[in-house]
Amino acid sequence: MIENNPNMLLLAVFERAALMLMALFFLTRVRPFQDLLRQQRHSPAELAGVSLLFCLFAVFSTYTGIPVDGSLVNVRTIAILAGGILFGPWVGIPAGVVSGLHRYLIDIHGYTSLPCLISSICAGLLATAIHYRAGRQRLWLYGIAAGVACESLTMALILWFTQPAVGQAIVGHIAYPMITGTVCIGLIIKLVQDLDDEKELLAARQAKLALTIANRTLPYFQNVDRDALVEVCTVIRNHIGADAVAITDTRDVLAYVGLGKDYYEPAAHSAIGEITRRAVEQDQIIIENDLRQYRVADFHSVIIIPLRENGRVTGTLKIFFRQSGGITGSLRELGLGLSQLISTQMEASRIKQLQEMARKAEFAALQSKINPHFLFNALNAISSLIRIRPADARQLIAQLADYLRYNLSLGDTLIDIQEELKQVRDYVAIEQARFGSKLSVAFDVDEVHARVPSLLLQPLVENAILHGIQPRKEAGEVRIAVKKLDDRIRVSVRDTGYGISQEVMDGIAEGKVESRSIGLSNVNERIKLLYGEGLRLTRLEPGTEVSFELPLEDAAC
C-alpha cells in the first residue's frame, strides 16, 4: 500500500510538486506573467493576482493530498514558501493563512488539522523574512531550509497535540516524504529566477549583436548615401536573419535589401507605404505580426521603428519576416537599439558633412575676407535663439544677411570707415545675443571719414571678445573708439578681459603668427602695407588695448 511505503509517498509528493512546477513553467512563458516576475515593484492589483494564484496552489495541494493515518501528505508548504520568498508578505502570508484555515476547516477534529494551520501560518511568516533578508543567489537554498524547518515543526506539533501512539505512527509514515519533498521549493525558486537570468543572457547577446552590427556598419556612415545605406541594411539583415530590411526617410525608401528588392529600384516605386507613414507621423514603433496583405512580397511580420535626429523623426528602420509572429519581444528591443544606433551614426555623419562643408566654406570665406569663425559663431547664436526668442533670431538673421551681403560684394577696394563701423555694429549685435549680459560694447566715434580696407576693425573686436572677455567668468566690456586728433585719426579697441601676453605681443612684432593671433597679425600686416606702421598693443589693468592711426590726409572731416 502507498500509505505505508515512504518511498512511494515521496514519489507522490514529487508528482504533485511537478504539477505545480509545470503550471509555473507555462505561466512563465506568458508575456504578462514574465513582465510581472521581472518587475521590482508591483501594484496592489498585481500582488492581489499573484497572491490569489499561490493561494489556489496551496489549497489545491490540500485537495490532492494523500490520506495517511488521519493526515494528508501534500505540498501545501511548498506553495506557501515559494510564493512568499519570491513575492513577499502580500503573497506568502495570505497563502499561509488561507490554506491553513482551509486545511483546518475541512477536518476540524483531525489529528493534524491544528498543527497544519499553525505551520502554514509560520511558513508564510518565514517566507516573508527570507524575502527581505536573504541574498538572491541563495534564495533557493534558504527555501529548502525553510521547508525542512516548517515540515519539522509540523511533525513536532503533531507529536505535541496527539496521543503518543497515534502521533508517532503518523510522523513515522509521513515525516520522510514531507520533509524530503521540500527540495522542490528550491526547484520552483530556481525556475522563476532563471527567467531573470534568461533575460539578462538575452540582453547580453543582444548587446553583443548590436555592437557587432555597429562595428560592421560604422565604415558605411563615413559618407551616407544610398549605396552606403544598402550596405548597412545588408549587414543588419545578415546578422538578425530577417527576410528584408529597409531604411527610409519621411517620404521615400532610401535603401532596401532582401525579398522584393526589385520593387524598390531608385527609378521605380520608392515612396513609403501607409504603415510607414503612420509610424513617421505618430512617432511610434509599429509592429504587425499578422499582415494579411503586403504589396511587395509575402511578408506576414514587420516592425517599423522611427529614426530620430535632434529629437525629430527623420526616417524609419523596417525589418520584415515571412512567417507570422516573427517580431518577438527580444527582436523589438534589438530593433529599437539598432534604430538608435543608426540615428546616432547618421546624425554624426551629417555633422561631419556639415563640418566638411564648413571647412570648404572657410576656405571660400578667407578668399572673400569673411571670418569663418564669426560666421560659425553667428549661426550658433541664431540657432540657440530660434526657439526661445524667435523675434530676436529673425533680427539677427537680417543683420547677418546684411553683413555677408555687403562683404561678399566687396573686392580689394577701400571703404569708408563709417561703413566698416556699421559692419562692426552688426557683428557686435550678433555676439551680444550670443553672450548676453556677460558682454557690453560701447562706441565712441567722431564724425570722421577715412578709406580703410574692409574687415579691418571686426577682427580686432572679435579678438577682444573671444580672447579677452569670453574666458573670464565675470562680465566684461569692449570699447571701440574712433577719435580725430590734430593731424591724425586714432582707432582703438579696448577690452576689460584677460590682458595680452608679452609672448603674443612679441610674436606680432616679429611676424610669428600663432593660431589664436591670426586676426591680429592679418590686420597688423595690412595696416603696415597701407600706412607704414602696424598695430600698437598695450596691456592694461585689466585688459588690452589694440590701436592704430590713420594719416589725416586720408580723412575727410
Side-chain angles (χ1 to χ4, degrees):
M1 295 290 291
I2 186 174
E3 293 84 355
N4 298 320
N5 189 328
N7 291 324
M8 294 300 292
L9 285 174
L10 178 60
L11 181 61
V13 169
F14 284 148
E15 288 176 347
R16 283 149 181 79
L19 290 175
M20 192 184 308
L21 276 167
M22 289 177 60
L24 281 172
F25 175 79
F26 286 116
L27 281 173
T28 56
R29 303 300 103 182
V30 178
R31 182 63 179 270
F33 195 76
Q34 289 179 346
D35 295 338
L36 182 67
L37 292 176
R38 289 166 179 163
Q39 294 173 7
Q40 297 297 321
R41 296 176 180 269
H42 303 92
S43 67
E46 291 171 339
L47 288 174
V50 178
S51 180
L52 177 61
L53 176 66
F54 279 90
C55 284
L56 291 175
F57 279 150
V59 170
F60 181 74
S61 298
T62 298
Y63 280 122
T64 59
I66 302 170
V68 176
D69 298 333
S71 67
L72 286 174
V73 175
N74 60 80
V75 292
R76 179 180 60 255
T77 301
I78 295 175
I80 298 168
L81 286 169
I85 290 173
L86 290 170
F87 294 99
W90 296 106
V91 175
I93 292 176
V97 173
V98 170
S99 63
L101 286 173
H102 171 263
R103 173 67 183 87
Y104 178 77
L105 293 175
I106 63 173
D107 187 20
I108 294 178
H109 301 293
Y111 294 121
T112 60
S113 298
L114 185 57
C116 287
L117 170 61
I118 296 172
S119 65
S120 295
I121 295 174
C122 291
L125 295 172
L126 183 57
T128 297
I130 294 173
H131 173 79
Y132 284 118
R133 295 184 177 276
R136 183 181 183 277
Q137 296 299 323
R138 294 190 176 183
L139 277 182
W140 67 275
L141 187 59
Y142 283 108
I144 294 174
V148 171
C150 289
E151 294 296 3
S152 298
L153 175 63
T154 304
M155 301 304 130
L157 291 173
I158 291 173
L159 292 174
W160 179 270
F161 287 113
T162 59
Q163 297 176 2
V166 175
Q168 289 174 5
I170 293 173
V171 170
H173 286 127
I174 71 172
Y176 168 67
M178 292 285 284
I179 294 174
T180 306
T182 56
V183 298
C184 294
I185 297 173
L187 296 177
I188 292 174
I189 292 173
K190 287 295 289 182
L191 170 69
V192 175
Q193 285 184 327
D194 284 347
L195 181 65
D196 278 340
D197 295 339
E198 178 183 340
K199 175 192 173 185
E200 292 177 0
L201 180 60
L202 181 61
R205 289 175 178 170
Q206 288 178 338
K208 181 180 178 182
L209 181 58
L211 288 173
T212 300
I213 293 174
N215 185 51
R216 298 287 177 85
T217 58
L218 184 59
Y220 302 114
F221 285 103
Q222 301 299 314
N223 184 23
V224 178
D225 55 19
R226 184 181 295 272
D227 292 337
L229 292 179
V230 166
E231 294 297 333
V232 171
C233 290
T234 301
V235 172
I236 294 174
R237 179 177 180 241
N238 291 341
H239 279 81
I240 67 176
D243 291 307
V245 175
I247 294 176
T248 78
D249 59 17
T250 56
R251 294 185 302 175
D252 300 314
V253 177
L254 301 178
Y256 185 100
V257 172
L259 297 176
K261 178 179 179 295
D262 295 340
Y263 190 86
Y264 286 109
E265 290 299 322
H269 307 277
S270 60
I272 61 174
E274 179 182 348
I275 303 177
T276 308
R277 190 175 299 108
R278 180 154 49 95
V280 170
E281 292 173 353
Q282 298 177 3
D283 188 12
Q284 66 178 16
I285 299 173
I286 292 181
I287 296 176
E288 294 285 351
N289 264 323
D290 190 20
L291 284 174
R292 299 296 182 182
Q293 180 178 355
Y294 197 75
R295 67 181 184 180
V296 179
D298 190 22
F299 295 127
H300 295 282
S301 302
V302 64
I303 179 171
I304 304 174
I305 309 170
L307 302 176
R308 298 179 183 86
E309 294 182 38
N310 295 322
R312 181 174 59 89
V313 176
T314 57
T316 64
L317 170 66
K318 304 167 65 175
I319 302 174
F320 298 90
F321 290 90
R322 300 185 70 179
Q323 74 271 23
S324 297
I327 310 301
T328 62
S330 60
L331 183 61
R332 179 188 183 278
E333 296 302 318
L334 177 61
L336 182 60
L338 290 176
S339 71
Q340 293 171 345
L341 166 70
I342 293 172
S343 296
T344 302
Q345 298 278 45
M346 292 182 72
E347 187 170 357
S349 175
R350 216 172 297 281
I351 291 173
K352 184 176 180 181
Q353 289 178 345
L354 289 173
Q355 290 174 337
E356 179 64 20
M357 291 171 63
R359 187 190 66 80
K360 293 178 180 178
E362 181 176 350
F363 181 77
L366 287 172
Q367 288 181 317
S368 302
K369 299 180 181 178
I370 298 173
N371 191 320
H373 301 291
F374 159 66
L375 180 60
F376 183 76
N377 292 332
L379 292 175
N380 273 343
I382 293 169
S383 175
S384 66
L385 289 174
I386 284 175
R387 292 187 179 179
I388 58 175
R389 292 188 300 182
D392 291 344
R394 286 193 294 270
Q395 182 180 355
L396 290 178
I397 290 172
Q399 290 172 319
L400 178 61
D402 289 342
Y403 184 91
L404 296 179
R405 188 183 302 112
Y406 186 85
N407 282 280
L408 287 171
S409 66
L410 298 175
D412 296 326
T413 60
L414 300 179
I415 63 173
D416 190 280
I417 193 170
Q418 297 296 336
E419 293 177 346
E420 174 71 3
L421 286 168
K422 181 181 181 302
Q423 297 298 89
V424 171
R425 285 187 172 91
D426 286 338
Y427 167 78
V428 165
I430 295 170
E431 292 288 47
Q432 284 182 312
R434 178 183 171 205
F435 290 100
S437 60
K438 183 178 180 180
L439 172 65
S440 62
V441 180
F443 286 83
D444 183 10
V445 179
D446 289 344
E447 186 60 30
V448 295
H449 298 273
R451 307 294 290 178
V452 296
S454 62
L455 287 177
L456 190 69
L457 291 181
Q458 186 270 334
L460 304 181
V461 178
E462 179 180 8
N463 188 77
I465 293 173
L466 298 186
H467 301 302
I469 305 301
Q470 182 179 5
R472 294 176 61 89
K473 294 182 179 179
E474 300 82 9
E477 181 186 39
V478 175
R479 179 172 293 273
I480 302 161
V482 178
K483 306 299 293 182
K484 179 180 178 296
L485 304 179
D486 291 337
D487 58 348
R488 305 181 74 81
I489 296 173
R490 186 175 188 272
V491 180
S492 64
V493 177
R494 174 183 297 199
D495 66 77
T496 60
Y498 283 120
I500 192 169
S501 69
Q502 186 63 45
E503 184 179 11
V504 172
M505 294 174 64
D506 294 341
I508 296 295
E510 296 170 7
K512 297 178 180 178
V513 182
E514 295 182 355
S515 59
R516 60 172 288 175
S517 306
I518 291 176
L520 286 177
S521 178
N522 183 287
V523 173
N524 183 61
E525 294 302 318
R526 285 194 289 164
I527 291 176
K528 274 188 183 181
L529 289 172
L530 285 171
Y531 309 116
E533 184 177 356
L535 296 175
R536 297 175 184 174
L537 307 177
T538 307
R539 282 184 292 181
L540 306 175
E541 290 297 330
T544 303
E545 183 185 77
V546 180
S547 64
F548 62 90
E549 293 182 350
L550 305 175
L552 184 61
E553 54 265 28
D554 289 332
C557 300

